[in-house]
């Protein structure tokens, strides 16, 4: 035991005192001190204690800062829980055992800092930070996602070495309001630095820049010595143009007008002529430098900002940016990385945003806490509308905490500090008071603070808005529901009672193979005044790269990222339960539109098309009608190429001349091809790419692929005159040299996460659809033809299946029907499954592609000729499930390198999948690395396939995408190549 006197910070037990939001922590401000600072990132001496009041040991290891210890080889591993707290204590209580990291390092304080004010900045620490310097207590802070600053001026000596100790306590009263749906970690997640400023310094700078060119810069000035010296003034420079102090408002800098000896306020004003306004499409920024001068004109302090001139307002039920009702094509984004857990670099964030831009997103909700500061710089620069969300989620104890006055300070503090930090970013258009915390007086207090401090932006809070979308309340200017059914949104917009813009803060849950009906949502949003968009849940699949042999996180040095969504050999993407946690929420953490290595999932291509800036409205004989669907930009940044795909022919291309269209305009352009008489079904695609380099995409990057059908397919004219032989075995199963399993009826798919969490999978299992017992009723043979009737018996009933196989044209025609009894009113699929010999490794098809698509997620895959190796057709969702499907397939071939193989032609466009896995193989495992690929192909041809929906969290697919009971008929031909 260590008998040292109890440290005063520890003695306060701040980890179970919600009233203590901080002690010794400096006010938040928007002056960026990163440049010129001494970075303290790197390896720190480290000890992990079992509790915050446990004595320090003798032995130090090391830990990398910024980083979480849960990913750096300690016994305390990541744990994933969504709503439930990881411990039973009621707020503000915490368990006595609470992993506590003690970080220590020496710091050489530069000698030239003598006489200056010296500040320590800890970028973020979760969940309680206690700071000591040379053994003396400095301060405390909470809020795991905002920086904390401490004044070290009197505590360190320039030119000497100091020891900084950061003690980070994992569980605290604050954990109860940081109960976001993500991994629990512990550590220091953002950079630590030390900087110095003049004693006379800019305490804060607030920039307001309007779309009419009006610029207002408000500066707060302080002197560390106390009273301000006389005669100071500020000046500014906007892209080289000097701004001078507004003499109407130079309080406290001139002797006669001094209102306070301690707080200086000064204002710069300018009217910028012909201003280039900021919006997410053309994010024009101006460089602003603010200088604080001493009376003799020398510069005491400088602050640099990037200014975007723009207005945000709500007019009636419209959210307007620069007067335009912009669509919010958003996504929810966490700070996440598969190797570090939470720590992200500027390059990581840039890669996130670049990818989002390339796939048509224009908005981010910083779910559910202020993201890394660099994210906002990048959003300003690349063009995103940001809903900036405070670090408040009390999901498990929401009702108790929302009105608990002990948490009042924390609510206001977290919201206010976020606003003070981010107020100068043009990208931030809305403040959010947090997530999933019920609604109480603590929210109204926070909303009141924001409204007084920043009247230039709306406030939103889902917990308030859900009481009634049109209700007046202090905490939400926007009706921002989560996962509201489309019909409810439509009914509200059409009701005549709508009072606020309707922008869903979360919708279209991207867990596993999901995001069905996204295109239907957008068709409704674009057609319905009052609906303005929403934020898909969410950007990342939060799979942590884990070594399979020892179950540890791979950590910072982990290999194998940025590939094709698959974890490196010997690794897997861990989700809840994979670190041995008994309490966890499984794969619910894998619900993003990108894999953990940022590989886009198929839904991204769907989204890109839904967000297309230029579209083909229609085709008439006189030409193709194009329209510009942007809010601010013309088409000059795009170039195009026409493609004409003939089902029974080739793909022809021709250069496209895009018309000069302003936003909202349409124009007809002549059809670039004479469509050949032959060739069957014909599709015209406009391949739209960037004409030059964009900050987020090099020239030639695909932006969208709008399409129109020029000619429909002729119905197949089979005469059914047999001209060969059909061989079936005694069970009436087809015998064919290229098939290892004969075509049989399939009614089931490996449950998607939506199927599982939406209850469909259980129902299908109760019905026994997974493995019905096939009983042959009759086999009738006639020359060149066999007709087989069989019953597929399962607990849910009997499905009568008929298969008539006719030898014709050197191949086989298979006509099938299945009759589902009424009770089987919603099944996964009705269709054929067969398996091929090994070696047929290339799929070529005419239909939708090349990306995976399903009946209710098929807007982003253009119809055309596609080819992919069979191994690339499968999508490696983190929990294996139905995947790899292609919608709208008319015909396909499966071939070996020597061009031998089989060809299939379908009676009409249908859902097809070709993978190495049976549905039962997929359903039997928990991670893709456990799958053993079969040598041949498992081929499904579906007469009907159920839509995907989003029922893992939100509405199921629409009735029109369900597979119903009754008779289904389909036919296909099989030929040997
Ligand atoms: C909603 C949460 O806000 C989000 O953090 C995430 O958990 C999402 O759902 C599902 O993945 S809360 C849900 C109970 C509606």
């Amino acid at each position: 035991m260590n008998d040292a006197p109890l440290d005063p910070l520890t003695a306060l037990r701040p980890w179970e005192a919600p009233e203590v939001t901080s002690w010794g922590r400096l006010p938040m401000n928007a002056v960026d001190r990163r440049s010129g600072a001494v970075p303290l990132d790197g390896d720190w001496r480290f000890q992990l204690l079992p509790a915050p009041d446990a004595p320090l040991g003798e032995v130090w290891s090391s830990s990398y800062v910024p980083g979480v210890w849960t990913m750096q080889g300690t016994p305390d591993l990541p744990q994933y829980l969504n709503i439930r707290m990881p411990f039973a204590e009621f707020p503000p209580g915490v368990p006595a055992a609470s992993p506590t990291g003690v970080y220590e390092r020496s710091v050489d304080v530069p000698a030239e800092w003598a006489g200056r004010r010296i500040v320590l900045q800890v970028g973020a620490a979760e969940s309680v930070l206690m700071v000591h310097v040379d053994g003396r207590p400095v301060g405390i802070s909470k809020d795991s996602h905002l920086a904390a600053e401490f004044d070290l001026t009197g505590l360190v000596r320039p030119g000497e070495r100091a020891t900084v100790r950061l003690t980070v306590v994992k569980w605290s009263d604050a954990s109860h309001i940081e109960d976001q749906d993500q991994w629990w970690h512990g550590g220091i997640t953002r950079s630590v630095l030390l900087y110095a400023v003049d004693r006379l310094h800019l305490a804060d700078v607030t920039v307001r820049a309007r779309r009419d060119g009006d610029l207002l810069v408000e500066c707060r000035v302080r002197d560390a010595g106390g009273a301000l010296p006389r005669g100071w003034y500020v000046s500014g420079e906007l892209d080289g143009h000097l701004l001078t102090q507004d003499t109407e408002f130079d309080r406290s800098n001139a002797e006669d007008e001094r209102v306070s000896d301690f707080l200086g306020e000064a204002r710069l004003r300018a009217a910028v002529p012909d201003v280039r306004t900021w919006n997410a499409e053309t994010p024009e920024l101006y460089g602003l430098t603010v200088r604080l001068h001493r009376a003799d004109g020398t510069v005491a302090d400088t602050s640099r900002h990037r200014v975007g001139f723009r207005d945000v307002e709500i007019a009636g039920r419209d959210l307007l940016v620069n007067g335009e009702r912009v669509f919010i094509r958003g996504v929810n984004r966490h700070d996440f990385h598969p190797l570090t857990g939470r720590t992200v670099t500027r390059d990581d964030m840039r890669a996130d945003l670049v990818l989002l831009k390339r796939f048509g997103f224009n908005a981010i909700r910083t779910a559910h806490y202020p993201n890394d500061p660099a994210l906002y710089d990048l959003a300003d620069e690349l063009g995103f509308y940001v809903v900036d969300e405070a670090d408040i989620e009390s999901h498990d104890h929401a009702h108790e905490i929302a009105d608990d006055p002990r948490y009042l300070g924390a609510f206001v503090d977290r919201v206010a500090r976020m606003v003070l930090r981010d107020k100068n970013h043009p990208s931030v258009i809305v403040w959010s008071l947090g997530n999933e915390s019920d609604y109480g007086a603590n929210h109204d207090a926070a909303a009141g603070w924001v409204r007084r401090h920043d009247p230039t932006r709306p406030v939103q809070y889902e917990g308030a808005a859900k009481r009634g979308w049109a209700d007046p309340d202090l905490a939400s200017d926007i009706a921002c529901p989560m996962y509201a059914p489309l019909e409810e949104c439509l009914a509200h917009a059409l009701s005549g009672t709508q009072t606020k813009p309707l922008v869903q803060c979360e919708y279209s849950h991207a867990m596993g193979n999901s995001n069905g009906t996204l295109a239907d949502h957008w068709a409704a949003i674009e057609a319905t005044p009052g609906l303005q968009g929403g934020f898909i849940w969410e950007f990342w699949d939060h799979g942590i790269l884990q070594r399979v042999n020892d179950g540890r996180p791979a950590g910072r040095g982990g290999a194998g990222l940025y590939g094709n969504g698959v974890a490196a050999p010997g690794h897997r993407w861990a989700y809840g339960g994979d670190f041995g946690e008994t309490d966890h929420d499984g794969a619910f953490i894998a619900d993003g539109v990108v894999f953990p290595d940022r590989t886009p999932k198929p839904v991204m291509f769907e989204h890109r098309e839904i967000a297309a800036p230029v579209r083909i409205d229609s085709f008439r004989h006189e030409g193709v009608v194009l329209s510009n669907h942007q809010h601010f930009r013309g088409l000059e940044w795009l170039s195009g190429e026409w493609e004409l795909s003939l089902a029974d022919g080739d793909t022809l291309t021709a250069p496209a001349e895009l018309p000069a269209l302003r936003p909202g305009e349409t124009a007809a352009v002549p059809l670039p091809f004479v469509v050949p008489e032959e060739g069957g079904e014909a599709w015209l695609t406009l391949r739209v790419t960037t004409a030059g380099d964009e900050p987020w995409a090099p020239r030639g990057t695909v932006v969208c692929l709008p399409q129109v059908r020029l000619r429909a397919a002729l119905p197949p004219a089979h005469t059914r005159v047999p001209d060969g032989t059909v061989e079936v075995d005694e069970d009436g199963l087809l015998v064919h040299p290229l098939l290892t399993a004969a075509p049989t009826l399939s009614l089931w798919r490996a449950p998607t996460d939506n199927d599982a969490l939406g209850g469909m999978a259980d129902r299908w299992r109760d019905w026994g659809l997974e493995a019905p017992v096939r009983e042959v009723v009759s086999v009738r043979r006639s020359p060149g033809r066999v007709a087989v009737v069989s019953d597929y018996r399962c607990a849910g009933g009997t499905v009568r299946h008929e298969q008539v196989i006719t030898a014709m044209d050197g191949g086989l025609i298979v006509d099938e029907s299945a009759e589902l009894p009424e009770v089987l009113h919603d099944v996964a699929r009705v269709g054929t499954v067969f398996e091929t010999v090994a070696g047929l490794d290339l799929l070529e098809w005419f239909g939708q592609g090349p990306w995976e698509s399903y009946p209710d997620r098929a807007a982003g895959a253009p119809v055309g000729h596609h080819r992919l190796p069979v191994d690339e057709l499968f999508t490696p969702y983190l929990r294996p499930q139905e995947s790899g499907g292609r919608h709208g397939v008319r015909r396909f071939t499966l071939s070996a390198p020597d061009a031998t193989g089989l060809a299939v032609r379908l009676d009409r466009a249908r859902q097809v999948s070709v993978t190495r896995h049976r549905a039962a193989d997929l359903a039997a495992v928990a991670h893709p690395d456990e799958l053993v690929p079969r040598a041949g192909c498992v081929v499904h041809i579906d007469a009907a396939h159920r839509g995907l929906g989003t029922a893992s969290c939100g509405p199921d697919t629409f009735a029109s995408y369900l597979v119903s009971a009754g008779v289904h008929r389909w036919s296909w031909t099989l030929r040997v190549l």
Side-chain angles (χ1 to χ4, degrees):
M1 261 308 272
N2 179 332
D3 53 10
L6 193 56
D7 171 77
L9 299 188
T10 312
L12 270 176
R13 299 181 67 78
W15 51 86
E16 35 186 30
E19 305 85 345
V20 180
T21 54
S22 62
W23 178 79
R25 184 182 178 189
L26 295 172
M28 217 69 183
N29 62 74
V31 182
D32 186 351
R33 300 294 184 184
R34 282 172 285 187
S35 74
V38 173
L40 300 183
D41 291 350
D43 288 319
W44 287 51
R45 293 187 290 282
F46 180 73
Q47 290 196 24
L48 187 65
L49 308 182
D53 43 9
L56 204 61
E58 301 286 302
V59 187
W60 292 86
S61 61
S62 83
S63 192
Y64 189 83
V65 172
V68 289
W69 68 67
T70 32
M71 301 280 284
Q72 294 192 40
T74 72
D76 186 30
L77 289 166
Q79 178 181 8
Y80 166 56
L81 275 170
N82 172 11
I83 298 170
R84 287 173 297 152
M85 286 297 288
F87 48 82
E89 282 74 6
F90 200 74
V94 286
S98 174
T100 298
V102 182
Y103 296 80
E104 204 176 85
R105 63 165 283 169
S106 357
V107 179
D108 291 314
V109 183
E112 60 274 21
W113 286 3
R116 291 167 73 82
R117 177 176 182 255
I118 299 171
V119 176
L120 173 73
Q121 184 186 87
V122 180
E126 57 190 80
S127 72
V128 179
L129 170 70
M130 298 187 288
V131 182
H132 293 83
V133 170
D134 291 333
R136 280 180 291 170
V138 175
I140 296 171
S141 129
K142 295 178 188 171
D143 189 337
S144 300
H145 295 92
L146 283 177
E149 292 194 332
F150 303 92
D151 191 339
L152 302 191
T153 314
L155 298 169
V156 296
R157 279 171 214 265
E160 291 185 15
R161 175 167 286 196
T163 300
V164 176
R165 178 184 289 180
L166 306 178
T167 304
V168 181
V169 186
K170 185 168 176 180
W171 304 130
S172 72
D173 56 88
S175 307
H176 291 285
I177 55 169
E178 295 181 3
D179 181 21
Q180 290 99 352
D181 178 10
Q182 59 176 342
W183 293 97
W184 288 101
H185 287 294
I188 297 171
T189 55
R190 294 182 192 150
S191 291
V192 180
L193 48 92
L194 195 66
Y195 67 84
V197 291
D198 200 275
R199 300 177 77 86
L200 175 68
H201 60 274
L202 290 162
D204 201 4
V205 174
T206 302
V207 181
R208 301 232 161 114
R210 297 178 52 94
R211 81 176 195 276
D212 61 5
D214 187 52
L215 174 69
L216 175 65
V217 183
E218 290 178 333
C219 307
R220 296 197 139 207
V221 176
R222 292 198 191 262
D223 190 283
L228 287 159
R230 306 257 160 101
W232 62 268
Y233 64 99
V234 296
S235 70
E237 207 179 296
L238 186 77
D239 274 3
H241 298 281
L242 274 183
L243 313 173
T244 47
Q245 188 167 313
D246 184 344
T247 46
E248 303 278 291
F249 189 88
D250 49 0
R251 290 156 62 186
S252 77
N253 62 330
E255 255 178 289
D256 48 344
E257 287 189 27
R258 203 177 318 139
V259 292
S260 158
D261 284 337
F262 298 95
L263 172 61
E265 293 181 2
R267 199 152 71 177
L268 302 166
R269 247 214 154 112
V272 179
D274 302 322
V275 72
R276 300 182 314 272
T277 54
W278 186 97
N279 61 68
E281 291 169 17
T282 52
E284 297 281 357
L285 293 172
Y286 289 73
L288 170 71
T289 305
V290 178
R291 295 194 180 89
L292 169 63
H293 303 262
R294 303 182 188 92
D296 65 0
T298 54
V299 175
D301 197 5
T302 305
S303 177
R304 294 202 162 73
H305 304 264
R306 286 186 309 174
V307 178
F309 289 82
R310 63 109 186 85
D311 292 339
V312 181
E313 70 201 292
I314 290 179
R317 57 182 184 171
D318 296 330
L319 173 65
L320 307 178
V321 174
N322 298 342
E324 278 292 313
R325 176 178 168 261
V326 294
F327 287 121
I328 302 296
R329 304 180 186 279
V331 74
N332 282 277
R333 180 189 175 281
H334 275 277
D335 281 341
F336 169 78
H337 194 280
L339 300 183
T340 64
R342 290 222 217 291
T343 299
V344 285
T345 64
R346 193 183 178 88
D347 285 348
D348 291 328
M349 289 177 271
R350 174 176 274 278
D352 295 355
L353 297 194
V354 159
L355 191 76
L356 286 167
K357 276 302 251 199
R358 290 187 190 175
F359 285 90
F361 289 86
N362 70 358
I364 288 170
R365 173 173 175 242
T366 66
H368 299 301
Y369 43 78
N371 283 188
D372 187 289
L375 194 271
Y376 303 78
D377 295 337
L378 291 161
D380 292 343
E381 184 182 312
L382 294 167
F384 284 91
Y385 304 119
V386 173
V387 171
D388 200 6
E389 189 152 284
D391 190 5
I392 302 174
E393 173 162 344
S394 58
H395 214 146
D396 203 4
H397 300 288
H399 188 61
E400 301 90 298
I401 289 178
D403 281 305
D404 185 337
R406 291 173 299 176
Y407 277 96
L408 170 63
F411 274 55
V412 177
D413 185 60
R414 283 163 186 248
V415 173
R417 283 182 180 270
M418 169 184 75
V419 171
L420 289 166
R421 186 190 75 162
D422 296 334
K423 58 184 180 263
N424 294 340
H425 289 284
S427 55
V428 175
I429 63 162
V430 177
W431 302 117
S432 162
L433 305 181
N435 187 56
E436 291 284 1
S437 305
D438 203 330
Y439 178 33
N442 293 345
H443 292 102
D444 283 347
W449 193 94
V450 182
R451 292 189 188 287
R452 168 57 66 106
H453 192 83
D454 179 17
T456 71
R457 292 175 177 92
V459 171
Q460 78 172 47
Y461 175 55
E462 183 268 341
K466 80 170 168 209
R467 300 284 174 96
W469 294 350
D471 286 2
D473 62 68
L474 189 57
S476 204
D477 297 320
I478 297 176
C480 48
M482 42 173 71
Y483 312 105
L486 179 58
E487 58 273 20
E488 269 176 39
C489 297
L490 276 169
H492 183 64
L494 300 173
S495 67
T497 62
Q498 187 178 1
T499 56
K500 304 174 183 179
L502 177 48
V503 180
Q504 292 220 54
C505 72
E506 293 175 25
Y507 81 111
S508 198
H509 195 244
M511 183 179 185
N513 191 359
S514 184
N515 305 99
T517 74
L518 191 60
D520 305 82
H521 274 74
W522 274 95
I525 291 165
E526 293 190 352
T528 313
L531 302 186
Q532 251 183 286
F535 297 81
I536 289 178
W537 186 267
E538 65 174 314
F539 181 62
W540 287 108
D541 263 359
H542 300 222
I544 290 177
L545 191 71
Q546 180 187 37
R547 292 193 296 259
V548 174
N549 59 0
D550 63 2
R552 311 287 308 184
R556 286 177 67 235
L561 289 189
Y562 309 118
N564 49 5
V566 181
H571 295 74
R572 66 181 184 184
W573 302 125
Y575 51 77
D578 288 341
F579 293 109
E581 324 96 284
T582 43
D583 255 357
H584 63 82
D585 284 310
F588 207 63
I589 192 67
D591 54 1
V593 292
V594 299
F595 285 97
D597 65 355
R598 213 185 274 107
T599 298
K601 289 189 183 172
V603 60
M604 291 289 267
F605 297 92
E606 180 85 350
H607 189 272
R608 185 174 75 183
E609 214 46 52
I610 291 170
V614 50
R615 315 222 182 134
I616 300 180
D617 285 355
S618 60
F619 159 70
R620 300 196 198 95
H621 288 295
E622 56 283 16
V624 184
V625 180
L626 298 181
S627 55
N628 177 357
H629 281 252
Q630 299 166 101
H631 297 291
F632 302 101
R633 250 181 148 180
L635 300 186
E636 61 290 338
W637 65 286
L638 299 168
S639 62
E641 187 182 50
W642 294 110
E643 280 177 13
L644 175 67
S645 300
L646 298 165
D648 297 309
D650 287 332
T651 300
L652 314 174
T653 60
E657 192 70 41
L658 295 182
L661 292 178
R662 288 194 305 262
E665 288 184 344
T666 60
V669 298
L671 187 63
F673 301 98
V674 178
V675 183
E677 299 266 307
E678 301 296 304
E681 188 180 353
W683 286 81
L684 180 70
T685 309
L686 180 59
R687 193 182 170 78
V688 181
T689 55
T690 48
D693 290 341
E694 293 288 320
W696 47 271
R699 178 170 170 264
T701 303
V702 173
V703 173
C704 56
L705 301 164
Q707 233 191 2
V708 68
R709 189 171 70 179
L710 300 185
R711 187 167 63 206
L714 289 175
H718 297 307
T719 44
R720 303 288 196 275
V721 182
D723 66 358
T725 54
V726 178
E727 195 188 336
V728 296
D729 65 13
E730 63 277 17
D731 292 324
L733 294 172
L734 178 69
V735 177
H736 189 281
L738 292 179
L739 304 191
T740 54
T744 51
L745 179 68
S746 172
L747 301 168
W748 189 70
R749 68 185 178 198
T752 63
D753 292 313
N754 291 326
D755 296 339
L757 294 170
M760 288 75 84
D762 282 348
R763 209 177 329 130
W764 298 337
R765 194 147 284 144
D766 290 347
W767 288 341
L769 296 185
E770 186 176 341
V773 177
R774 177 175 178 273
E775 279 173 22
V776 182
V777 175
S778 67
V779 178
R780 279 177 294 129
R781 293 181 167 82
S782 52
R785 172 176 293 164
V786 179
V788 183
V789 177
S790 41
D791 279 342
Y792 283 72
R793 293 183 187 282
C794 58
T798 298
V799 178
R800 166 81 33 118
H801 177 231
E802 275 192 48
Q803 194 176 54
V804 180
I805 308 176
T806 311
M808 256 183 48
D809 302 335
L812 303 171
I813 294 190
V814 186
D815 294 297
E816 309 199 51
S817 72
E819 184 174 359
L820 276 64
E822 271 314 303
V823 60
L824 302 182
H825 60 89
D826 173 13
V827 302
R829 59 163 35 120
V830 175
T832 308
V833 61
F834 61 80
E835 292 177 20
T836 74
V837 295
L840 308 182
D841 295 337
L842 179 69
L843 182 77
E844 294 176 86
W845 75 100
F846 185 78
Q848 292 193 248
W851 307 287
E852 178 193 270
S853 52
Y854 283 83
D856 61 351
R857 205 191 65 217
V863 178
H865 295 280
H866 303 288
R867 51 186 277 156
L868 276 176
V870 171
D871 290 330
E872 290 176 26
L873 291 163
F874 179 71
T875 311
Y877 293 111
L878 265 60
R879 194 188 64 78
Q881 53 196 279
E882 160 65 31
S883 78
R886 299 296 187 280
H887 192 62
V889 176
R890 282 80 164 158
R891 63 185 169 81
F892 64 89
T893 63
L894 260 174
S895 60
D898 65 1
T900 59
L902 55 85
V904 171
R905 189 176 270 273
L906 312 179
D907 54 343
R908 61 180 182 81
R910 294 188 183 276
Q911 184 79 17
V912 166
S913 80
V914 180
T915 68
R916 302 282 185 206
H917 313 288
R918 293 181 186 159
D921 299 342
L922 297 170
V925 300
H927 298 91
D929 63 299
E930 296 156 39
L931 287 168
V932 182
R934 290 175 186 274
C937 300
V938 178
V939 180
H940 279 274
I941 297 170
D942 292 328
H945 192 104
R946 192 187 198 278
L948 300 167
T950 62
S952 55
C953 184
D956 193 2
T957 193
F958 298 152
S960 55
Y961 299 113
L962 296 179
V963 179
S964 55
V967 180
H968 297 259
R969 290 180 207 286
W970 67 109
S971 67
W972 49 286
T973 67
L974 176 67
R975 274 191 318 109
V976 175
L977 290 175

